[in-house]
Amino acid sequence: MHGEYKVPGGKLVVVDLDVERGRIANFRLAGDFFLEPDDALLDINRAVEGLPEDSDSATIAAAVRGALPEGAQMLGFSPEAVAIAVRRSLSRASSWTDYDWQLVHPGPLPPRLHLALDQVLTEEVGAGRRGPTLRIWEWNEPAVVIGSFQSLKNEVDLDNAKKYGIDVVRRISGGGAMFMEAGGIITWSLYVPGELVQGLTFADSYAFLDEWAITALKSLGIDASYQPLNDITSPQGKIGGAAQKRLGNGAVLHHVTMSYDMDRDRMVEVLRIGREKMSDKGTTSANKRVDPLKSQTGLPRDEIIERMIGTFRSLYGLTPGELTADELARAQELVEEKFATDEWLQRVP
């Protein structure tokens, strides 16, 4: 069995192993990490050898840590990273390059249709009717998108939203509210088989699925990093946030919204959570909390999107795709049946 895990911001950890009579056998660790002293590699191999095949990540990491000689240095990886690679191997997780990725990047669509497409395309990937897909969002109207479990009245000042003509919609994933102006955000969705994140905890999968985006941002000169649980940030401020939904058919929806340009004062007027978090800091501090990509790069939004797409393509491969007529029809049905209804919007009043 073979397993790989790229540590977010770190190095690649690779393991090969067999299972004999319910225990790990012939274990071999490799990768582009740094380890001192050299023979600590043998200590790690011996620590994992013979562990029960159903050992969880915590047990494997503890065995590795306990076997390291005093003063050992692990650079670019950790005992937890070894454990994740082992679990991915044992669960026969797939890797990014095992798939033929499709890019879907249509023109502007209404916010509710975007949310319905997220559900439809995730279902299609889980059913095997669509391959893993990267979809870039475009829209030409403002909206606030709240998380599946957020209270509508607690998160949004509905009077101010109405005053500014901002639609309020609810997505199927958890997480916080996003203030999304036309041309002011960069949003994408990944629709992936569950096998891609096998062996990863829910929390670890966020960093795993965002790693390519961090690489793209760094190529633009941004000192971007992942901040648990679900933020992409830089020393200048938060750039964006991610959310996930896992369906019963095994497929995973992972979507990210990054700020490109925004009216920060209006955001604080419309989002109650923004006002509450910054109530003792004033508008100036609230403005500093998020630092959009336009101010960090000076680049047009389209150019940043093209760099994101190009980075994904160079890492994993990516071919042009499109939404099918059936997918669009099903998404429109979901808008009418679910996403445009008061019952859905006010499911948590």
Side-chain angles (χ1 to χ4, degrees), residues 70-108:
E70 184 175 355
Q73 297 292 315
M74 304 177 74
L75 303 177
F77 77 128
S78 65
E80 288 73 21
V82 175
I84 290 173
V86 172
R87 288 307 318 164
R88 284 178 60 76
S89 172
L90 290 167
S91 61
R92 292 178 168 81
S94 57
S95 65
W96 291 91
T97 53
D98 288 335
Y99 302 106
D100 295 324
W101 289 89
Q102 286 190 31
L103 170 67
V104 173
H105 189 185

Short mmCIF file of all heavy atoms in Angstrom, two decimals, residues 70-108:
data_model
loop_
_atom_site.label_atom_id
_atom_site.label_comp_id
_atom_site.label_asym_id
_atom_site.label_seq_id
_atom_site.Cartn_x
_atom_site.Cartn_y
_atom_site.Cartn_z
N GLU A 70 16.42 11.65 21.64
CA GLU A 70 16.41 12.98 22.25
C GLU A 70 17.13 13.99 21.35
O GLU A 70 18.20 13.72 20.82
CB GLU A 70 17.10 12.93 23.61
CG GLU A 70 17.04 14.25 24.37
CD GLU A 70 17.64 14.15 25.76
OE1 GLU A 70 18.01 13.03 26.16
OE2 GLU A 70 17.73 15.19 26.43
N GLY A 71 16.48 15.13 21.14
CA GLY A 71 17.08 16.17 20.30
C GLY A 71 16.83 16.02 18.82
O GLY A 71 17.33 16.83 18.03
N ALA A 72 16.06 15.01 18.43
CA ALA A 72 15.79 14.82 17.00
C ALA A 72 15.04 16.03 16.44
O ALA A 72 14.20 16.63 17.11
CB ALA A 72 14.99 13.54 16.78
N GLN A 73 15.36 16.38 15.20
CA GLN A 73 14.73 17.52 14.54
C GLN A 73 13.96 17.05 13.30
O GLN A 73 14.53 16.42 12.41
CB GLN A 73 15.80 18.54 14.11
CG GLN A 73 16.56 19.16 15.28
CD GLN A 73 15.68 20.06 16.11
OE1 GLN A 73 14.93 20.88 15.57
NE2 GLN A 73 15.77 19.93 17.42
N MET A 74 12.66 17.35 13.27
CA MET A 74 11.82 17.04 12.11
C MET A 74 11.47 18.37 11.48
O MET A 74 10.73 19.18 12.05
CB MET A 74 10.57 16.28 12.53
CG MET A 74 10.84 15.00 13.31
SD MET A 74 9.31 14.16 13.87
CE MET A 74 8.73 13.46 12.32
N LEU A 75 11.96 18.62 10.29
CA LEU A 75 11.73 19.89 9.60
C LEU A 75 10.87 19.67 8.37
O LEU A 75 11.21 18.88 7.49
CB LEU A 75 13.06 20.53 9.20
CG LEU A 75 14.05 20.78 10.35
CD1 LEU A 75 15.35 21.35 9.81
CD2 LEU A 75 13.45 21.71 11.38
N GLY A 76 9.75 20.37 8.31
CA GLY A 76 8.84 20.23 7.19
C GLY A 76 7.82 19.13 7.36
O GLY A 76 6.97 18.93 6.48
N PHE A 77 7.87 18.40 8.46
CA PHE A 77 6.88 17.37 8.75
C PHE A 77 6.86 17.11 10.25
O PHE A 77 7.59 17.75 11.01
CB PHE A 77 7.14 16.10 7.94
CG PHE A 77 8.26 15.22 8.46
CD1 PHE A 77 8.03 13.87 8.69
CD2 PHE A 77 9.53 15.72 8.69
CE1 PHE A 77 9.05 13.03 9.14
CE2 PHE A 77 10.56 14.89 9.13
CZ PHE A 77 10.31 13.54 9.36
N SER A 78 6.04 16.19 10.68
CA SER A 78 5.83 15.94 12.10
C SER A 78 5.35 14.51 12.29
O SER A 78 4.98 13.83 11.32
CB SER A 78 4.78 16.91 12.65
OG SER A 78 3.52 16.64 12.04
N PRO A 79 5.32 14.01 13.54
CA PRO A 79 4.74 12.69 13.78
C PRO A 79 3.29 12.61 13.29
O PRO A 79 2.87 11.58 12.78
CB PRO A 79 4.82 12.53 15.30
CG PRO A 79 6.01 13.36 15.69
CD PRO A 79 5.97 14.55 14.78
N GLU A 80 2.54 13.71 13.43
CA GLU A 80 1.15 13.73 12.96
C GLU A 80 1.08 13.58 11.45
O GLU A 80 0.17 12.92 10.92
CB GLU A 80 0.47 15.02 13.40
CG GLU A 80 0.15 15.10 14.89
CD GLU A 80 1.39 15.31 15.76
OE1 GLU A 80 2.42 15.79 15.23
OE2 GLU A 80 1.31 15.00 16.96
N ALA A 81 2.04 14.17 10.73
CA ALA A 81 2.06 14.05 9.27
C ALA A 81 2.35 12.61 8.85
O ALA A 81 1.75 12.11 7.89
CB ALA A 81 3.10 15.00 8.69
N VAL A 82 3.24 11.95 9.55
CA VAL A 82 3.51 10.53 9.27
C VAL A 82 2.24 9.72 9.49
O VAL A 82 1.88 8.86 8.69
CB VAL A 82 4.65 10.01 10.16
CG1 VAL A 82 4.85 8.50 9.94
CG2 VAL A 82 5.95 10.76 9.87
N ALA A 83 1.55 10.02 10.58
CA ALA A 83 0.33 9.28 10.90
C ALA A 83 -0.73 9.48 9.82
O ALA A 83 -1.42 8.52 9.43
CB ALA A 83 -0.21 9.74 12.26
N ILE A 84 -0.87 10.69 9.32
CA ILE A 84 -1.85 10.94 8.27
C ILE A 84 -1.50 10.16 7.01
O ILE A 84 -2.37 9.55 6.37
CB ILE A 84 -1.93 12.45 7.96
CG1 ILE A 84 -2.59 13.19 9.13
CG2 ILE A 84 -2.70 12.70 6.66
CD1 ILE A 84 -2.55 14.69 9.00
N ALA A 85 -0.22 10.14 6.64
CA ALA A 85 0.20 9.39 5.46
C ALA A 85 -0.09 7.90 5.64
O ALA A 85 -0.51 7.22 4.69
CB ALA A 85 1.68 9.62 5.18
N VAL A 86 0.14 7.39 6.85
CA VAL A 86 -0.14 5.98 7.12
C VAL A 86 -1.62 5.69 6.98
O VAL A 86 -2.04 4.72 6.34
CB VAL A 86 0.36 5.58 8.53
CG1 VAL A 86 -0.11 4.17 8.88
CG2 VAL A 86 1.88 5.65 8.59
N ARG A 87 -2.46 6.54 7.58
CA ARG A 87 -3.90 6.33 7.50
C ARG A 87 -4.40 6.44 6.06
O ARG A 87 -5.29 5.69 5.64
CB ARG A 87 -4.64 7.33 8.38
CG ARG A 87 -4.52 7.12 9.89
CD ARG A 87 -4.87 5.72 10.34
NE ARG A 87 -6.06 5.18 9.68
CZ ARG A 87 -6.39 3.89 9.68
NH1 ARG A 87 -5.62 3.00 10.28
NH2 ARG A 87 -7.49 3.48 9.08
N ARG A 88 -3.83 7.36 5.29
CA ARG A 88 -4.23 7.48 3.89
C ARG A 88 -3.83 6.24 3.10
O ARG A 88 -4.54 5.80 2.20
CB ARG A 88 -3.62 8.75 3.27
CG ARG A 88 -4.35 10.01 3.72
CD ARG A 88 -3.74 11.28 3.16
NE ARG A 88 -3.71 11.36 1.71
CZ ARG A 88 -4.77 11.63 0.95
NH1 ARG A 88 -5.96 11.84 1.51
NH2 ARG A 88 -4.66 11.71 -0.36
N SER A 89 -2.69 5.67 3.45
CA SER A 89 -2.28 4.43 2.80
C SER A 89 -3.23 3.29 3.14
O SER A 89 -3.72 2.57 2.27
CB SER A 89 -0.86 4.08 3.23
OG SER A 89 -0.49 2.80 2.75
N LEU A 90 -3.52 3.14 4.42
CA LEU A 90 -4.37 2.04 4.86
C LEU A 90 -5.79 2.16 4.33
O LEU A 90 -6.47 1.14 4.10
CB LEU A 90 -4.38 1.98 6.40
CG LEU A 90 -3.07 1.52 7.03
CD1 LEU A 90 -3.08 1.80 8.53
CD2 LEU A 90 -2.82 0.04 6.78
N SER A 91 -6.26 3.38 4.15
CA SER A 91 -7.62 3.58 3.65
C SER A 91 -7.67 3.67 2.13
O SER A 91 -8.72 3.93 1.56
CB SER A 91 -8.22 4.85 4.26
OG SER A 91 -7.46 5.99 3.92
N ARG A 92 -6.49 3.45 1.51
CA ARG A 92 -6.38 3.49 0.05
C ARG A 92 -6.89 4.81 -0.53
O ARG A 92 -7.69 4.83 -1.49
CB ARG A 92 -7.11 2.30 -0.58
CG ARG A 92 -6.42 0.96 -0.27
CD ARG A 92 -7.18 -0.21 -0.87
NE ARG A 92 -6.40 -1.44 -0.81
CZ ARG A 92 -6.29 -2.21 0.27
NH1 ARG A 92 -6.93 -1.87 1.38
NH2 ARG A 92 -5.55 -3.30 0.26
N ALA A 93 -6.45 5.90 0.08
CA ALA A 93 -6.83 7.22 -0.40
C ALA A 93 -6.25 7.47 -1.78
O ALA A 93 -5.17 6.99 -2.12
CB ALA A 93 -6.33 8.29 0.58
N SER A 94 -6.96 8.23 -2.57
CA SER A 94 -6.46 8.63 -3.87
C SER A 94 -5.65 9.91 -3.74
O SER A 94 -5.62 10.55 -2.68
CB SER A 94 -7.63 8.84 -4.84
OG SER A 94 -8.53 9.80 -4.33
N SER A 95 -5.02 10.32 -4.83
CA SER A 95 -4.26 11.57 -4.84
C SER A 95 -4.82 12.48 -5.93
O SER A 95 -5.58 12.04 -6.81
CB SER A 95 -2.77 11.31 -5.08
OG SER A 95 -2.56 10.76 -6.36
N TRP A 96 -4.45 13.75 -5.90
CA TRP A 96 -4.95 14.73 -6.86
C TRP A 96 -4.74 14.26 -8.30
O TRP A 96 -5.63 14.42 -9.15
CB TRP A 96 -4.23 16.05 -6.66
CG TRP A 96 -4.53 16.79 -5.40
CD1 TRP A 96 -3.87 16.68 -4.21
CD2 TRP A 96 -5.56 17.77 -5.19
NE1 TRP A 96 -4.41 17.53 -3.28
CE2 TRP A 96 -5.44 18.22 -3.85
CE3 TRP A 96 -6.54 18.33 -6.00
CZ2 TRP A 96 -6.28 19.20 -3.31
CZ3 TRP A 96 -7.39 19.29 -5.47
CH2 TRP A 96 -7.26 19.72 -4.14
N THR A 97 -3.58 13.72 -8.58
CA THR A 97 -3.24 13.39 -9.97
C THR A 97 -3.84 12.08 -10.44
O THR A 97 -3.62 11.66 -11.58
CB THR A 97 -1.71 13.35 -10.14
OG1 THR A 97 -1.13 12.47 -9.16
CG2 THR A 97 -1.11 14.75 -9.98
N ASP A 98 -4.63 11.43 -9.59
CA ASP A 98 -5.34 10.22 -10.02
C ASP A 98 -6.55 10.55 -10.88
O ASP A 98 -7.16 9.65 -11.46
CB ASP A 98 -5.81 9.41 -8.80
CG ASP A 98 -4.67 8.73 -8.09
OD1 ASP A 98 -3.63 8.48 -8.72
OD2 ASP A 98 -4.81 8.45 -6.88
N TYR A 99 -6.91 11.83 -10.96
CA TYR A 99 -8.16 12.22 -11.62
C TYR A 99 -7.92 13.13 -12.81
O TYR A 99 -6.90 13.81 -12.90
CB TYR A 99 -9.06 12.95 -10.61
CG TYR A 99 -9.40 12.14 -9.39
CD1 TYR A 99 -8.81 12.42 -8.16
CD2 TYR A 99 -10.31 11.09 -9.45
CE1 TYR A 99 -9.12 11.68 -7.02
CE2 TYR A 99 -10.63 10.34 -8.32
CZ TYR A 99 -10.02 10.65 -7.11
OH TYR A 99 -10.33 9.91 -6.00
N ASP A 100 -8.90 13.13 -13.70
CA ASP A 100 -8.93 14.08 -14.81
C ASP A 100 -9.84 15.24 -14.40
O ASP A 100 -11.07 15.15 -14.49
CB ASP A 100 -9.47 13.41 -16.09
CG ASP A 100 -8.54 12.32 -16.59
OD1 ASP A 100 -7.31 12.49 -16.48
OD2 ASP A 100 -9.06 11.30 -17.08
N TRP A 101 -9.22 16.31 -13.93
CA TRP A 101 -9.97 17.44 -13.39
C TRP A 101 -10.58 18.28 -14.51
O TRP A 101 -9.95 18.52 -15.53
CB TRP A 101 -9.06 18.31 -12.53
CG TRP A 101 -8.67 17.66 -11.25
CD1 TRP A 101 -7.60 16.85 -11.02
CD2 TRP A 101 -9.38 17.74 -10.01
NE1 TRP A 101 -7.60 16.41 -9.71
CE2 TRP A 101 -8.67 16.96 -9.07
CE3 TRP A 101 -10.53 18.41 -9.60
CZ2 TRP A 101 -9.09 16.83 -7.75
CZ3 TRP A 101 -10.95 18.28 -8.29
CH2 TRP A 101 -10.22 17.49 -7.37
N GLN A 102 -11.80 18.74 -14.29
CA GLN A 102 -12.47 19.63 -15.23
C GLN A 102 -12.59 21.03 -14.62
O GLN A 102 -12.77 21.18 -13.41
CB GLN A 102 -13.87 19.12 -15.56
CG GLN A 102 -13.91 17.93 -16.47
CD GLN A 102 -15.34 17.64 -16.95
OE1 GLN A 102 -16.15 18.55 -17.09
NE2 GLN A 102 -15.63 16.38 -17.19
N LEU A 103 -12.50 22.02 -15.48
CA LEU A 103 -12.73 23.41 -15.09
C LEU A 103 -14.08 23.85 -15.65
O LEU A 103 -14.34 23.72 -16.84
CB LEU A 103 -11.63 24.32 -15.64
CG LEU A 103 -11.88 25.83 -15.50
CD1 LEU A 103 -11.86 26.24 -14.03
CD2 LEU A 103 -10.86 26.62 -16.30
N VAL A 104 -14.92 24.39 -14.78
CA VAL A 104 -16.20 24.98 -15.18
C VAL A 104 -16.18 26.44 -14.77
O VAL A 104 -16.04 26.75 -13.58
CB VAL A 104 -17.40 24.24 -14.53
CG1 VAL A 104 -18.70 24.97 -14.84
CG2 VAL A 104 -17.46 22.80 -15.01
N HIS A 105 -16.29 27.34 -15.74
CA HIS A 105 -16.19 28.78 -15.46
C HIS A 105 -17.17 29.52 -16.36
O HIS A 105 -16.77 30.20 -17.31
CB HIS A 105 -14.76 29.25 -15.67
CG HIS A 105 -14.51 30.66 -15.22
ND1 HIS A 105 -13.31 31.31 -15.42
CD2 HIS A 105 -15.30 31.55 -14.56
CE1 HIS A 105 -13.38 32.53 -14.92
NE2 HIS A 105 -14.58 32.70 -14.39
N PRO A 106 -18.48 29.41 -16.07
CA PRO A 106 -19.47 30.09 -16.90
C PRO A 106 -19.55 31.58 -16.56
O PRO A 106 -18.91 32.05 -15.63
CB PRO A 106 -20.77 29.37 -16.54
CG PRO A 106 -20.56 28.95 -15.12
CD PRO A 106 -19.09 28.63 -15.00
N GLY A 107 -20.37 32.29 -17.30
CA GLY A 107 -20.58 33.70 -17.03
C GLY A 107 -21.41 33.91 -15.78
O GLY A 107 -21.74 32.95 -15.06
N PRO A 108 -21.75 35.16 -15.49
CA PRO A 108 -22.47 35.48 -14.24
C PRO A 108 -23.79 34.72 -14.11
O PRO A 108 -24.54 34.57 -15.07
CB PRO A 108 -22.72 36.99 -14.36
CG PRO A 108 -21.65 37.49 -15.29
CD PRO A 108 -21.44 36.38 -16.27
#
